[in-house]
Amino acid sequence: MLVKKLTFAAVAFCFAFTGITARAQEAGALLDLLVRKKIISDQEAEEVRGELVKEYASTSAGKWKLSTPINEIELYGDGRVRYEYRGGRTASNDPDNPNDWLERRRARYRLRVGLRGTLLYDWFFGLRLETSASNRSTNVTFGGDSNNRGDGTPGPFSKIDDSAFVGQAYLGYKGFPDITLTAGRMPNPLVTTPLLWDDDINPEGLAQQWKHTFNLSFGGGGGAEAVQSYSKEGYSKEGKSVVTTEAAEPFKLKIDVFANFAQFVYDDTNPENPIGPARTTDGNGFEQRVPTTDAYLLAWQVGARFNFPKNIYFQIAPTLYNYTGTGDSFNIYFQGDSTDTNQVGINSLLVLDIPVEIGWRIGELPMRIFGEFAVNLEGADRAAAAGHPGSDGQKYAYQIGLGVGQLKAKSDWEIRAWWQHTDQYSVDPNLVDSDIFDSRVNMQGVAVKAGYALADAIVFNLTWAYGWRSNGNFGTGGVGDIGINPLDQYQIFQADMNVKF
C-alpha cells in the first residue's frame, strides 16, 4: 500500500508540474517503467491510472473530456489584420481606357482556428476553420458586405462575409517506418513556392510521403551540423529554420531523402454521363469536344536535403505535375488573352518544377538563396489550343531570390527579395499566388518581404511587389482582384500584424 501511495504521488507530480499535452504521456511512461522494474504490478498500475483520472477530472482542466482513442490534441490558430493596396494599369492599346489605373485599398482580417492530434499513436488528424470561402485567400474585407439589410440596400457592420469555413479536415497514418499517409483536405504535402502554389491552398485528396535520414561520417573535418526543422504540417516551403548541434569529429554529413506523391481531386464532374450526345463549343475558330470526366492533379516529387557542417545546407526537390480529366469547370481550352476568353482551362499541362535552396550562416545571421525553374512540357499544345500556334517558347517560369534572417523568437527579423517570371502557357493559373502577381501568368517583376518579431508569437510584415507583362503579345491569363486583362503593370503593398497561438 505504501508503494502504491508513493507511486500515485510521483505520477501526480507529473500531472501537476508538466505541460498539459505531455502529462498523460509522462505519467503513462512512468507507470510502464515501474511495471517493467517489477516495483508495482500491472493491476496496481491500472488502479493508479484510474485514481489519477478521477482526480484530474475534478480539476478545471479536466472538465474538457477527450475521447479514449485520442492520445494527444492541440488547439492552435492565428489571427491577422492587414492594410492592402493593389493597383493595375491597362495596356496602351486598350480601345476604351488606354494606360488607365484601377486601384483597390482595403483593410482586411483573417482568423484560423484548428485542432490536431494523434489517435492510437499511429494515426493523426487535423481540423481547421478559417474565414473566407476562397481557395487562395482567408481574408475578409472590413466594410465589404453587400445587401446587408436583406432588401438589396447595403448597411454597415453586417456579418454576411464574416463566416467560418472548413479549411482543413484530414486523417493520416504513420504506422510504417518513414512513411506518412494522408487523406482529406490537407496542408500541402509538397515542397512548393508561390511561383506555382499559393500558400493558402489546402488541396483535397490523397498523399503519400516518405522521408529517411542518412548520417555519413568522413575522416577529418568538424564543425557544427545544419539540421532542418520541419513543421507539423509536413514539408513546407515557409517556416524552415536551422538549428545547430555540437561540433563533432570526424566530418559529418546528414542527408534527408524524401519522396512525396499526391492524387488531388481537382474538380468533380456532375453528372459524368449526361443524357444526349457529347457537348461541343466553338472555341478559337473550331469545334471543341467538351469531355465530362473528373479532373485530378497528380504530383510526383523526389528530393534531398544535404546538411553540411558549418551550418550549410542544400535542398532540391524536382516535381512532375500532370492532370487527368478536365472536370466541368475547367473543360474549355485555356486562352487567356482578354476578360472575354477562358482564363482557367487546364488542358495541355505537364509541368516539371525544380525548386532549389542553399543556406548558410554568417556568424549568427542565417542566409539563403532560393530559386526555381518550371517548364510545361506540353506548352506548344497549350499555345496552339489558345489560338497561338508556333508560340512554343511561352512555356517557362522561374524565380531567384535571397533571404536574410529568420523569424523564430522575439526581436528576430527577416528580409526576402526575389525576381519572378512566368510565361502565358507555363503553369496552372488557378494555383499561383494570389498576391504576387494577382493570380496571373505572363507576368514578371520583383518582390520584397520584410518581417520583425515583436514577440515570440507576434510578427509584423511588410510586402511590396511590382510587375509587368512578360510578353506584350499575349494577355495575362488568370482571374485576380484587378479586373483587367491584359494587366500591363501591377503593384501591391501589404502591411500585416500576425498573432499565433
Side-chain angles (χ1 to χ4, degrees):
M1 180 61 67
L2 178 62
V3 171
K4 181 178 176 181
K5 290 183 177 180
L6 292 175
T7 302
F8 179 83
V11 178
F13 179 85
C14 292
F15 268 76
F17 296 98
T18 60
I20 293 176
T21 58
R23 291 172 181 173
Q25 290 182 335
E26 293 186 3
L30 178 58
L31 288 172
D32 292 340
L33 176 63
L34 294 175
V35 170
R36 288 197 301 271
K37 295 294 185 179
K38 297 183 179 180
I39 298 176
I40 62 175
S41 65
D42 289 333
Q43 182 178 353
E44 289 173 329
E46 292 303 319
E47 291 177 356
V48 171
R49 286 192 179 96
E51 292 177 12
L52 286 171
V53 169
K54 292 179 181 178
E55 180 173 304
Y56 183 65
S58 64
T59 66
S60 59
K63 299 300 182 182
W64 190 16
K65 296 183 179 179
L66 302 181
S67 174
T68 302
I70 296 179
N71 304 120
E72 180 181 280
I73 192 167
E74 177 187 8
L75 173 67
Y76 72 100
D78 66 271
R80 181 180 71 193
V81 291
R82 161 180 289 179
Y83 168 78
E84 176 183 276
Y85 164 86
R86 293 188 190 223
R89 195 184 78 173
T90 61
S92 59
N93 60 353
D94 187 284
D96 300 319
N97 301 288
N99 296 325
D100 198 4
W101 272 91
L102 186 154
E103 296 182 331
R104 304 186 70 178
R105 297 177 177 87
R106 295 179 288 185
R108 318 189 80 186
Y109 81 92
R110 81 172 183 190
L111 178 64
R112 303 185 297 188
V113 180
L115 292 173
R116 57 192 172 203
T118 59
L119 298 166
L120 303 175
Y121 298 103
D122 291 331
W123 296 84
F124 63 93
F125 65 93
L127 174 66
R128 190 175 79 185
L129 300 179
E130 55 193 35
T131 48
S132 180
S134 172
N135 66 325
R136 284 187 282 192
S137 173
T138 52
N139 294 313
V140 176
T141 301
F142 291 116
D145 302 286
S146 59
N147 194 24
N148 294 347
R149 298 180 182 176
D151 58 359
T153 304
F157 314 128
S158 178
K159 295 184 281 293
I160 292 178
D161 293 343
D162 305 78
S163 301
F165 302 87
V166 177
Q168 295 179 1
Y170 59 89
L171 179 67
Y173 182 71
K174 290 186 176 181
F176 303 114
D178 301 330
I179 294 176
T180 300
L181 306 176
T182 311
R185 176 183 285 272
M186 68 190 74
N188 200 322
L190 307 169
V191 176
T192 66
T193 77
L195 181 68
L196 264 71
W197 283 89
D198 192 297
D199 292 333
D200 287 319
I201 293 179
N202 298 297
E204 301 169 319
L206 303 174
Q208 306 83 40
Q209 297 171 272
W210 174 83
K211 175 178 172 287
H212 188 78
T213 299
F214 297 91
N215 292 294
L216 307 178
S217 297
F218 304 93
E225 178 185 357
V227 181
Q228 174 63 45
S229 174
Y230 292 103
S231 68
K232 290 188 177 181
E233 296 183 348
Y235 299 101
S236 69
K237 184 67 182 174
E238 299 297 327
K240 294 191 174 104
S241 60
V242 177
V243 295
T244 59
T245 60
E246 291 295 327
E249 296 289 350
F251 178 93
K252 290 186 177 182
L253 173 63
K254 178 183 176 183
I255 305 175
D256 294 322
V257 181
F258 54 87
N260 302 317
F261 308 107
Q263 305 81 43
F264 298 138
V265 182
Y266 198 95
D267 186 46
D268 180 76
T269 297
N270 185 22
E272 282 80 359
N273 184 26
I275 296 175
R279 184 167 65 92
T280 61
T281 186
D282 190 13
N284 303 317
F286 56 88
E287 290 293 317
Q288 175 196 338
R289 180 183 178 276
V290 180
T292 55
T293 54
D294 295 338
Y296 294 90
L297 170 57
L298 309 180
W300 318 80
Q301 182 175 78
V302 294
R305 182 183 179 92
F306 301 85
N307 300 287
F308 301 94
K310 301 185 183 298
N311 302 302
I312 300 172
Y313 69 87
F314 170 75
Q315 179 174 276
I316 185 170
T319 314
L320 183 67
Y321 298 95
N322 70 292
Y323 296 71
T324 65
T326 59
D328 53 12
S329 301
F330 307 93
N331 51 18
I332 307 299
Y333 289 157
F334 173 82
Q335 210 273 342
D337 280 347
S338 72
T339 54
D340 298 327
T341 60
N342 187 274
Q343 305 294 313
V344 297
I346 57 174
N347 58 290
S348 303
L349 282 173
L350 179 62
V351 180
L352 175 63
D353 177 43
I354 308 175
V356 177
E357 183 172 317
I358 302 172
W360 69 96
R361 281 179 180 262
I362 298 180
E364 295 298 320
L365 182 64
M367 303 186 70
R368 61 189 177 101
I369 294 175
F370 53 92
E372 187 169 10
F373 174 79
V375 55
N376 179 15
L377 302 178
E378 296 182 353
D381 294 338
R382 189 167 173 83
H388 294 279
S391 301
D392 298 4
Q394 291 295 305
K395 60 182 180 181
Y396 300 104
Y398 49 85
Q399 179 190 91
I400 183 69
L402 173 68
V404 181
Q406 65 181 5
L407 296 171
K408 291 187 65 179
K410 182 180 179 180
S411 300
D412 284 352
W413 60 271
E414 180 186 34
I415 298 177
R416 286 179 288 148
W418 66 95
W419 166 270
Q420 182 171 304
H421 171 102
T422 58
D423 288 333
Q424 179 79 319
Y425 310 111
S426 58
V427 296
D428 186 347
N430 305 297
L431 302 181
V432 297
D433 185 75
S434 60
D435 298 327
I436 314 214
F437 296 102
D438 197 46
S439 308
R440 308 301 186 94
V441 292
N442 192 33
M443 293 289 293
Q444 64 182 1
V446 294
V448 179
K449 185 170 185 177
Y452 181 77
L454 300 173
D456 289 352
I458 303 176
V459 175
F460 179 70
N461 284 315
L462 295 174
T463 303
W464 173 84
Y466 179 78
W468 57 93
R469 273 195 290 175
S470 301
N471 189 309
N473 297 320
F474 303 94
T476 48
V479 179
D481 286 357
I482 301 296
I484 298 174
N485 192 337
L487 183 60
D488 197 52
Q489 293 186 24
Y490 171 79
Q491 188 168 199
I492 187 171
F493 171 77
Q494 296 170 332
D496 300 334
M497 183 70 75
N498 303 271
V499 180
K500 292 185 177 181
F501 57 88

